[in-house]
Amino acid sequence: MPYFKTIGTVCYEGPTSKNPLAFKFYNPEEKVGNKTMEEHLRFSVAYWHTFVGDGSDPFGVGTMLRPWDHYRGMDLAKARVEAAFELFEKLNVPFFCFHDVDIAPEGESLKETYKNLDTIVDMLEEYMKTSKTKLLWNTANLFTHPRFVHGAATSCNADVFAYAAAKVKKGLEIAKRLGAENYVFWGGREGYETLLNTDLKLELDNLARFLHMAVDYAKEIGFDGQFLIEPKPKEPTKHQYDFDVASALAFLQTYGLQDYFKFNIEANHATLAGHTFEHELRMARIHGMLGSVDANQGDTLLGWDTDEFPTDLYSTTLAMYEILQNGGLGRGGLNFDAKVRRGSFEVEDLFYAHIAGMDSFAVGLKVAQRLIEDRVFEDVIDKRYKSYTEGIGREIVEGTADFHKLEAYALQLGEIQNQSGRQERLKTVLNQYLLEVSATL
Ligand code: XLS
Ligand code: NI
Ligand code: NI
């Protein structure tokens, strides 16, 4: 039985199409450089926002009554699977992602929760046999239930640590069974509210112990997906341990975990940390740690994770620039960790939202590809740092200069000549590319 009766398969119709249920820019088979758009972009639907979210916020109840919502319990979970694969097919998306609690309700006991999960995972496995949509990643929800009030791996309560470990163990088994490309760790409540009651050192040590155990267990069962840490500075805790790429990287390096993890960069988390999306992507990329992306956007006027579908072409272009410079996302993808607004409560909106996000990244991909082909920024940057390719600069880079040598050099220098950074001109060039490439789409 179809859940999205009014909607057929969404196809590419090109930029002049007036059909709201068609792609204007995302043409999966079209080649950009040496890969198709589908291979570059690796879009994924987030189960939680699209099949579970109901539009509730701290001030009001849900606004979205979905066609599967008359079911309860396991029947609801099963109906969601049916709806999910119908949407995946109609949108032609190659991937999806979920938390354990998104796909199956928690039982009275952990055993019963496992049983519920097994039933739904059986069903997912069956659907995946005939569907092209694969699992980009799954994760364990270690933040909603009251038991996680003080955190999970960083809880003050060892029983909670054990319970969280069991959930992740099960999650890894599911990842292995469903052939997940990655497994995500987002530290929902792994942070603190006040130092007055917090053993910061023990919490960080325990988080590292937990992640090491996960690495060991993945090896034990032969799960070869990529482990991803998803940094976020705050919300729900005041201070989250995986604050941003820089601090999470320092944590991984401190505890000898850096070889087992990459980052899942979420746009809105970057902005919450006071960075741009492209800053976080660049930081991850230059350290060889860019794994996957939670594609959404925040609102500069609001200080929380608004998780909007990405429509800002400037941002999708700069993001795709980083991704292309990274040589792609490897096993990662662009997961729409994004939700329709509370006022967009009809099922059609789920489709419009995904179409908007997919088209926006398709434009970003094309513009970024052209920028790279024409070496727009590369040439500028090469020229800007030229002083490090010759003379004293080269000695600094090659490690043959020391303070004595540099002092001697500085003492004989005349007035130092600097050159303009040309920021405004570069922004105009970026605008030109956006407009030019868009005009030829
Ligand atoms: C919340 C996070 C979450 C993770 C998965 O802010 O983005 O949705 O992606 O647990
Ligand atoms: Ni996310
Ligand atoms: Ni988020």
Side-chain angles (χ1 to χ4, degrees):
M1 184 202 62
Y3 289 94
F4 307 106
K5 288 198 198 85
T6 56
I7 291 152
T9 305
V10 178
C11 299
Y12 170 72
E13 290 186 5
T16 55
S17 168
K18 296 267 187 295
N19 177 1
L21 286 166
F23 295 117
K24 319 297 180 300
F25 305 106
Y26 177 60
N27 183 6
E29 281 102 60
E30 186 182 327
K31 276 216 160 163
V32 177
N34 56 1
K35 285 195 272 185
T36 64
M37 282 203 185
E38 185 172 74
E39 289 163 344
H40 275 292
L41 296 164
R42 296 169 63 83
F43 288 127
S44 158
V45 172
Y47 212 94
W48 53 104
H49 286 310
T50 294
F51 307 111
V52 184
D54 64 359
S56 54
D57 70 12
F59 301 95
V61 297
T63 57
M64 298 159 187
L65 192 67
R66 301 303 188 201
W68 48 89
D69 278 340
H70 56 278
Y71 291 109
R72 288 284 168 271
M74 284 300 282
D75 289 337
L76 173 59
K78 288 175 188 168
R80 282 186 177 133
V81 174
E82 290 168 4
F85 280 87
E86 186 187 332
L87 179 133
F88 300 157
E89 199 180 316
K90 289 185 166 169
L91 276 173
N92 185 24
V93 281
F95 294 103
F96 71 114
C97 296
F98 62 81
H99 302 82
D100 46 7
V101 302
D102 306 333
I103 60 163
E106 288 202 74
E108 293 291 319
S109 64
L110 184 58
K111 255 201 187 132
E112 199 184 316
T113 300
Y114 281 178
K115 202 170 136 257
N116 292 348
L117 278 168
D118 288 340
T119 306
I120 301 300
V121 170
D122 283 347
M123 195 173 163
L124 288 173
E125 196 173 42
E126 220 29 58
Y127 268 80
M128 287 169 77
K129 276 185 191 153
T130 52
S131 163
K132 73 167 248 186
T133 308
K134 296 197 265 183
L135 185 57
L136 186 66
W137 51 260
N138 62 312
T139 185
N141 178 319
L142 306 176
F143 43 90
T144 298
H145 193 279
R147 75 175 72 84
F148 300 119
V149 60
H150 300 309
T154 64
S155 171
C156 48
N157 185 343
D159 287 352
V160 177
F161 185 105
Y163 198 100
K167 292 238 297 174
V168 171
K169 177 175 178 288
K170 184 73 178 167
L172 292 170
E173 289 157 13
I174 292 171
K176 159 112 176 144
R177 250 186 89 184
L178 297 180
E181 303 269 336
N182 309 270
Y183 187 87
V184 161
F185 294 86
W186 168 60
R189 291 189 191 273
E190 312 292 29
Y192 68 84
E193 288 297 323
T194 171
L195 285 176
L196 300 179
N197 64 11
T198 301
D199 185 339
L200 195 64
K201 176 79 166 66
L202 181 66
E203 291 202 5
L204 287 168
D205 288 351
N206 279 349
L207 181 56
R209 290 181 180 113
F210 191 91
L211 296 176
H212 271 294
M213 289 182 213
V215 169
D216 290 346
Y217 190 66
K219 267 191 207 150
E220 187 184 323
I221 63 171
F223 171 62
D224 68 350
Q226 174 66 53
F227 274 10
L228 299 169
I229 297 259
E230 185 180 321
K232 185 176 183 181
K234 57 188 168 193
E235 195 200 353
T237 57
K238 188 169 73 176
H239 180 103
Q240 215 151 300
Y241 292 134
D242 302 322
F243 192 95
D244 60 1
V245 169
S247 48
L249 181 59
F251 167 83
L252 292 174
Q253 286 169 341
T254 302
Y255 291 98
L257 284 159
Q258 69 276 17
D259 294 342
Y260 308 108
F261 287 82
K262 286 189 175 177
F263 290 110
N264 183 35
I265 305 295
E266 178 163 324
N268 206 162
H269 295 183
T271 46
L272 285 178
H275 302 306
T276 57
F277 186 19
E278 59 272 19
H279 166 96
E280 286 294 83
L281 292 167
R282 175 78 60 97
M283 279 298 269
R285 167 165 83 80
I286 62 169
H287 290 98
M289 300 286 280
L290 177 52
S292 199
V293 171
D294 268 5
N296 60 16
Q297 71 183 31
D299 187 319
T300 44
L301 302 180
L302 302 173
W304 65 91
D305 206 7
T306 60
D307 286 343
E308 288 175 49
F309 274 84
T311 51
D312 178 344
L313 300 180
Y314 212 86
S315 169
T316 58
T317 298
L318 294 177
M320 286 316 299
Y321 177 84
E322 297 302 328
I323 291 167
L324 289 176
Q325 293 287 25
N326 194 55
L329 286 170
R331 303 190 75 174
L334 294 174
N335 171 48
F336 290 114
D337 191 352
K339 58 185 176 207
V340 286
R341 297 303 86 189
R342 193 163 188 267
S344 308
F345 47 78
E346 294 175 358
V347 286
E348 286 79 4
D349 293 305
L350 292 175
F351 285 82
Y352 298 149
H354 283 91
I355 292 168
M358 291 160 88
D359 272 341
S360 299
F361 267 93
V363 173
L365 166 64
K366 285 197 154 180
V367 181
Q369 173 74 17
R370 276 282 293 283
L371 285 165
I372 292 170
E373 276 169 8
D374 294 355
R375 295 186 51 84
V376 171
F377 303 127
E378 288 67 31
D379 284 344
V380 170
I381 290 172
D382 281 357
K383 204 169 146 222
R384 190 157 182 250
Y385 293 87
K386 196 165 167 287
S387 68
Y388 286 94
T389 61
E390 59 203 14
I392 195 71
R394 187 165 175 165
E395 290 194 49
I396 293 170
V397 170
E398 288 179 350
T400 54
D402 61 11
F403 268 15
H404 296 289
K405 211 176 211 176
L406 292 167
E407 182 187 49
Y409 179 83
L411 282 169
Q412 52 80 43
L413 271 178
E415 192 70 38
I416 292 179
Q417 297 294 321
N418 270 312
Q419 276 166 9
S420 166
R422 298 270 188 265
Q423 187 170 321
E424 296 78 3
R425 206 185 84 73
L426 286 169
K427 287 194 173 176
T428 305
V429 177
L430 177 55
N431 281 347
Q432 244 178 318
Y433 269 74
L434 250 161
L435 293 170
E436 263 176 40
V437 176
S438 307
T440 61
L441 283 173

